[in-house]
Amino acid sequence: MLLHFSPASSTSPPSPSSFTSNYFLHRLSISRPPYLEFPLKPRTRLFKPTSPPVSYSTKTKLLYPSANRADFRSYALSGFDFGSVESVLEAAGVLTAIIVVHETGHFLAAYLQGIRVSKFAVGFGPILAKFNANDVEYSIRAFPLGGFVGFPDNDPDSDIPDDDANLLKNRPILDRVIVISAGVVANIIFAYAIIFTQVLSVGLPVQEPFSGVLVPDVRPFSAASRDGLLPGDVILAINGIQLPETGPRVVSQVVDVIKKNPKRNVFLKVERGKQDFEIGVTPDENVDGTGKIGVQLSPNIKITKLRPNNIFEAFNYAGKEFWGLTYNVLDSLKQTFMNFSQSASKVSGPVAIIAVGAEVARSTVDGLYEFAALLNLNLAVINLLPLPALDGGSLALVLLEAARGGRKLPLELEQRIMSSGIMFVLLLGLFLIVRDTLNLEFIKDLL
């Protein structure tokens, strides 16, 4: 998610006096195994989130930065499957809640300081529904690219005098810093609240790893189904290479061999019940020339739940989990910048994020909790970057003003900087929506 500062309009993108949030996240860390591996530093963590099974055809790999915790990243993946309507609605509901929380942070920070606010919107573009209360227009808009809080500072239709002391632009620097940063603070608090709720309600999932890779599901009429692989099988070895216990390469090892051998026999040592035997599977060929066998793969793990004995343990568990997830997000961002040429294509748009969230929702409530917490943390971290169209960009302009002794940049220059950022964000959002829609499983089947 991104957040930027710009003037509000009823049917056009907001301009320099509104805060806007957009949920195309970069390298989202969630409880879903992606198949595009990304290097992570090993570390020791107490808890592990559960991970839903993942379709091989989605070209994903499990990421395990340590032996103690599974950390999953979502990219703009091919082969997304929305699944059931209920799971899609759950994922969309999570995104909507995060947007509302973010914008509510900006809104309350302004309202409680007596700063004039003119609009509160979820979405951009044409208004689908609206109502007015206390001189504020609340609306739901057509395009689900985020939302914004509008201020009347530069609104040509506003009858408020330009020198009104309660306009945001006329407030002291500290007041404006509080308003700009409040969205990020709201999402951080919301992330912790989600984790704390998980600890109290369902507990934190802990994983005990076993050797091999589990096959939770086999698609009908696929290569795996044709050659005798069954749901519940555990792949212990592939082409004579023994698989270790769950680790950074265990699933990717299976995926890589299958992808490299379209239409060539691959020998799998399989555990079924108490019996071990070998199955030969001939992968079908994808349109890109890689192999696929039509199975879902997940770590071979046993899940147990760790529940607190008292409220103090609950705070302790939630705190450890919160800082661990925060580390994941920060480390992911660092890795992205260090390997930008490889990771630039892995930006996820709203369609991809909802598809991943739907898959998580179908699998386990634990994954949905972490999905929501990590979306919040991603939004917070990304928006602190000092780039135009982000909260961090707006904050940088205010801090530059403070460094110049209270002298603002020329309004035209500031608007040009922000407008260029807004245009980039909107174009990027449109590109990601189109690309991720074309990557949906049912769309690919139609094509």
Side-chain angles (χ1 to χ4, degrees), residues 356-413:
V356 171
E359 184 174 336
V360 172
R362 291 199 305 274
S363 173
T364 169
V365 67
D366 301 306
L368 196 59
Y369 275 113
E370 190 181 9
F371 174 75
L374 285 168
L375 278 177
N376 276 283
L377 292 173
N378 268 278
L379 174 59
V381 170
I382 292 297
N383 271 285
L384 284 177
L385 296 177
L387 301 174
L390 302 183
D391 280 353
S394 300
L395 193 59
L397 289 176
V398 174
L399 295 178
L400 179 61
E401 176 187 333
R404 286 163 49 91
R407 291 184 296 112
K408 298 181 180 180
L409 292 176
L411 180 60
E412 184 179 349
L413 175 60

Side-chain angles (χ1 to χ4, degrees), residues 3 37 47 58 108-109 158 165-166 172 201 240 300 308 316 350 357 367 408:
L3 195 294
E37 187 182 1
F47 306 121
T58 60
L108 289 178
S158 174
N166 289 326
S201 59
N300 186 21
N316 183 40
K408 298 181 180 180

Side-chain angles (χ1 to χ4, degrees), residues 221-235:
F221 312 111
S222 64
S225 174
R226 181 179 63 238
D227 294 331
L229 206 60
L230 297 178
D233 287 348
V234 177
I235 301 173

Side-chain angles (χ1 to χ4, degrees), residues 198-234:
Q198 178 184 7
V199 171
L200 290 179
S201 59
V202 298
L204 288 172
V206 180
Q207 299 176 356
E208 181 183 357
F210 295 90
S211 297
V213 173
L214 179 65
V215 182
D217 190 30
V218 178
R219 292 187 177 182
F221 312 111
S222 64
S225 174
R226 181 179 63 238
D227 294 331
L229 206 60
L230 297 178
D233 287 348
V234 177

Side-chain angles (χ1 to χ4, degrees), residues 296-314:
Q296 291 183 324
L297 301 176
S298 71
N300 186 21
I301 53 177
K302 179 182 178 181
I303 304 295
T304 58
K305 295 293 182 65
L306 185 63
R307 295 178 181 272
N309 295 316
N310 52 60
I311 192 66
F312 300 105
E313 273 195 358

Side-chain angles (χ1 to χ4, degrees), residues 43-85:
R43 73 185 190 283
T44 300
R45 292 282 306 284
L46 177 61
F47 306 121
K48 294 181 177 181
T50 58
S51 111
V54 57
S55 168
Y56 169 74
S57 64
T58 60
K59 302 180 181 176
T60 60
K61 290 182 184 176
L62 283 168
L63 294 176
Y64 280 93
S66 75
N68 292 335
R69 179 179 176 82
D71 297 294
F72 306 116
R73 311 271 154 113
S74 164
Y75 316 118
L77 305 173
S78 61
F80 278 123
D81 183 5
F82 269 131
S84 69
V85 173

Side-chain angles (χ1 to χ4, degrees), residues 153 161-172 176 408:
D153 296 39
D162 196 52
D163 59 352
D164 189 297
N166 289 326
L167 289 177
L168 180 64
K169 65 182 180 182
N170 297 330
R171 280 303 188 97
R176 284 179 278 152
K408 298 181 180 180

Side-chain angles (χ1 to χ4, degrees), residues 79-365:
F80 278 123
D81 183 5
F82 269 131
S84 69
V85 173
E86 181 181 356
S87 62
V88 172
L89 292 177
E90 288 177 350
V94 168
L95 282 171
T96 302
I98 291 170
I99 293 169
V100 170
V101 165
H102 188 102
E103 301 306 334
T104 300
H106 291 305
F107 178 83
L108 289 178
Y111 182 81
L112 294 176
Q113 295 185 89
I115 297 172
R116 295 185 184 275
V117 179
S118 57
K119 295 178 181 179
F120 184 104
V122 177
F124 296 137
I127 296 174
L128 302 179
K130 71 174 182 177
F131 69 93
N132 289 275
N134 298 324
D135 297 322
V136 179
E137 177 191 274
Y138 299 88
S139 63
I140 298 175
R141 303 191 177 220
F143 304 113
L145 293 178
F148 66 90
V149 174
F151 299 88
D153 296 39
N154 300 312
D155 187 349
D157 297 326
S158 174
D159 56 2
I160 300 172
D162 196 52
D163 59 352
D164 189 297
N166 289 326
L167 289 177
L168 180 64
K169 65 182 180 182
N170 297 330
R171 280 303 188 97
I173 288 174
L174 180 59
D175 291 359
R176 284 179 278 152
V177 167
I178 291 173
V179 174
I180 293 170
S181 58
V184 168
V185 173
N187 283 119
I188 292 173
I189 294 172
F190 192 34
Y192 183 86
I194 290 169
I195 296 169
F196 188 73
T197 302
Q198 178 184 7
V199 171
L200 290 179
S201 59
V202 298
L204 288 172
V206 180
Q207 299 176 356
E208 181 183 357
F210 295 90
S211 297
V213 173
L214 179 65
V215 182
D217 190 30
V218 178
R219 292 187 177 182
F221 312 111
S222 64
S225 174
R226 181 179 63 238
D227 294 331
L229 206 60
L230 297 178
D233 287 348
V234 177
I235 301 173
L236 300 175
I238 184 165
N239 283 346
I241 301 173
Q242 195 74 19
L243 297 177
E245 288 189 357
T246 298
R249 293 286 301 168
V250 63
V251 174
S252 62
Q253 193 171 341
V254 177
V255 172
D256 289 344
V257 172
I258 293 172
K259 287 174 66 176
K260 293 176 181 177
N261 289 278
K263 298 184 178 180
R264 292 194 292 268
N265 210 17
V266 173
F267 295 97
L268 305 176
K269 182 180 179 182
V270 172
E271 177 185 81
R272 183 178 295 165
K274 296 183 179 180
Q275 293 183 325
D276 294 354
F277 52 91
E278 194 169 84
I279 293 178
V281 179
T282 304
D284 295 326
E285 188 172 1
N286 270 314
V287 291
D288 60 0
T290 60
K292 65 175 182 179
I293 61 174
V295 298
Q296 291 183 324
L297 301 176
S298 71
N300 186 21
I301 53 177
K302 179 182 178 181
I303 304 295
T304 58
K305 295 293 182 65
L306 185 63
R307 295 178 181 272
N309 295 316
N310 52 60
I311 192 66
F312 300 105
E313 273 195 358
F315 279 111
N316 183 40
Y317 291 170
K320 288 182 178 180
E321 186 76 353
F322 174 81
W323 288 115
L325 296 181
T326 302
Y327 175 91
N328 283 353
V329 174
L330 294 173
D331 184 68
S332 175
L333 184 65
K334 182 189 74 173
Q335 297 284 1
T336 296
F337 284 118
M338 292 175 63
N339 301 273
F340 188 76
S341 60
Q342 299 176 15
S343 57
S345 62
K346 299 168 186 175
V347 180
S348 294
V351 173
I353 293 171
I354 291 176
V356 171
E359 184 174 336
V360 172
R362 291 199 305 274
S363 173
T364 169
V365 67

